[in-house]
Amino acid sequence: MIRSMTAYARREIKGDWGSAAWELRSVNQRYLETYIRLPEQFRSLEPVIRERIRARLTRGKVECNLRFDLDPGAQSTLQLNEKLAKQLVEAAQWVKMQSDEGEINPLEVLRWPGVMLAEEQDLDAISTELLLALETALDDFIAARESEGAALKTMIEQRLDGVSAEVTKVRAQMPNILQWQRERLVSKLEDAQVQLENTRLEQELVLMAQRVDVAEELDRLEAHVKETHKIMKKDEAVGRRLDFMMQEFNRESNTLASKSINADVTTSAIELKVLIEQMREQIQNIE
């Protein structure tokens, strides 16, 4: 399965506690790098989140952000520490009796640390909901990668067809090129008034044919095309394999260009380099 390393996904979640949103984005990277930003109360989830991302992705620079908004209306009801409040009132009354001045302000009593208590939100339950939403966000994220990967696959297949067309074109020209080389060699010998025995002439023609023969390079290019199609059908990350294949394509196209003695072959060699470079640029973005 071809997956792009460039993608974006966002998944929102709402609960009695408020709302949250996961955002995932990535760009191409040789290895997998994860950058996670979480609200302070959910910092403990970072190792779990990192492991879940690594379980489903193999390459790319991935940013994972969590936005968390607590609903003020969802706060638990306040609880009064009656025992502590009673002690504070009694202490305040004693002070008032000693000085016979001032008033006891109920609000001041309530503000005393520990008098009014609010139950904390159940962060474990909220964390469970958030992690479930993360899995859904990862599903969306991978789907986006696969969608763009499908477009990359189509483009690469078109370029592979172009490579096959150039190989066919060069192969069809080789008999004429060899005949032209033979006639050229004989003409040069005649102009120089050099007489060679038939055996020696045939040896020279064989050596010349070996120097310009590109049958092996053409065969390997065709084999690389087939192997690339095969790799793209694998149900795994194939970016590194495809990158290696581009190196092999380049090696054969360079050899073809170095052996070229014909303008048409040179044109085909240049076109092959263009096609290979176009594929290589896109493969850099494949997981």
Side-chain angles (χ1 to χ4, degrees):
M1 175 66 70
I2 299 294
R3 291 180 181 174
S4 170
M5 283 190 282
T6 302
Y8 173 82
R10 175 184 171 86
R11 173 65 64 165
E12 295 186 1
I13 177 176
K14 293 184 179 181
D16 296 338
W17 38 264
S19 64
W22 288 102
E23 284 190 355
L24 293 165
R25 56 170 57 86
S26 68
V27 294
N28 59 325
Q29 180 66 278
R30 187 175 181 183
Y31 303 105
L32 178 63
E33 293 184 12
T34 55
Y35 298 87
I36 301 172
R37 296 182 178 88
L38 301 172
E40 189 63 34
Q41 62 267 46
F42 297 109
R43 289 284 185 183
S44 61
L45 296 179
E46 184 169 341
V48 179
I49 295 170
R50 194 178 304 278
E51 186 60 31
R52 294 196 179 189
I53 292 175
R54 290 187 176 277
R56 304 189 65 180
L57 304 175
T58 59
R59 296 179 70 193
K61 181 179 179 181
V62 182
E63 294 183 9
C64 176
N65 300 322
L66 172 62
R67 180 180 59 79
F68 182 78
D69 295 319
L70 189 64
D71 183 2
Q75 294 284 353
S76 300
T77 56
L78 295 175
Q79 293 184 353
L80 175 64
N81 188 336
E82 295 181 4
K83 184 177 180 180
L84 178 58
K86 185 176 180 180
Q87 291 175 353
L88 286 173
V89 172
E90 291 176 351
Q93 287 176 341
W94 182 86
V95 171
K96 182 177 181 298
M97 289 174 61
Q98 298 302 315
S99 63
D100 199 27
E101 293 181 2
E103 297 290 337
I104 300 176
N105 189 337
L107 292 179
E108 293 296 332
V109 175
L110 294 176
R111 290 194 185 101
W112 190 267
V115 173
M116 298 302 299
L117 301 175
E119 292 183 357
E120 293 185 357
Q121 292 282 347
D122 188 351
L123 291 183
D124 289 341
I126 297 175
S127 297
T128 300
E129 292 186 51
L130 292 177
L131 290 176
L132 287 174
L134 174 62
E135 289 297 329
T136 306
L138 281 170
D139 290 340
D140 296 342
F141 187 66
I142 291 173
R145 279 187 160 204
E146 291 176 351
S147 177
E148 186 170 339
L152 294 176
K153 181 181 179 182
T154 299
M155 189 282 294
I156 294 171
E157 288 175 338
Q158 291 173 348
R159 301 308 185 273
L160 289 174
D161 290 342
V163 171
S164 296
E166 293 301 325
V167 168
T168 300
K169 188 185 301 183
V170 173
R171 197 184 294 278
Q173 294 174 5
M174 289 312 299
N176 293 333
I177 292 174
L178 293 175
Q179 180 63 30
W180 174 75
Q181 277 289 86
R182 179 188 181 92
E183 293 173 355
R184 184 184 179 198
L185 177 60
V186 172
S187 176
K188 284 186 176 182
L189 291 175
E190 290 177 351
D191 291 343
Q193 297 182 350
V194 175
Q195 297 293 329
L196 294 179
E197 296 179 359
N198 288 337
T199 302
R200 177 66 185 280
L201 178 60
E202 290 302 321
Q203 290 176 345
E204 290 295 329
L205 291 172
V206 169
L207 291 174
M208 177 198 67
Q210 289 176 344
R211 286 195 297 270
V212 300
D213 184 25
V214 292
E216 289 186 10
E217 286 75 15
L218 297 177
D219 289 342
R220 282 195 286 267
L221 283 170
E222 288 183 333
H224 295 339
V225 169
K226 293 179 180 178
E227 181 63 20
T228 303
H229 279 296
K230 183 178 177 181
I231 290 173
M232 289 195 296
K233 293 179 181 178
K234 291 181 178 292
D235 190 18
E236 59 186 51
V238 297
R240 290 191 178 93
R241 290 175 180 267
L242 291 175
D243 188 56
F244 172 76
M245 291 305 303
M246 293 306 106
Q247 297 176 34
E248 296 300 305
F249 271 111
N250 265 321
R251 183 177 292 109
E252 304 308 330
S253 66
N254 288 336
T255 304
L256 181 64
S258 67
K259 289 185 176 182
S260 175
I261 58 171
N262 176 283
D264 292 334
V265 176
T266 300
T267 300
S268 290
I270 293 173
E271 181 63 20
L272 282 171
K273 286 179 174 292
V274 171
L275 293 169
I276 294 166
E277 180 60 21
Q278 289 175 345
M279 287 190 290
R280 190 194 67 81
E281 289 179 355
Q282 298 302 324
I283 287 171
Q284 297 302 309
N285 199 34
I286 291 178
E287 182 180 2

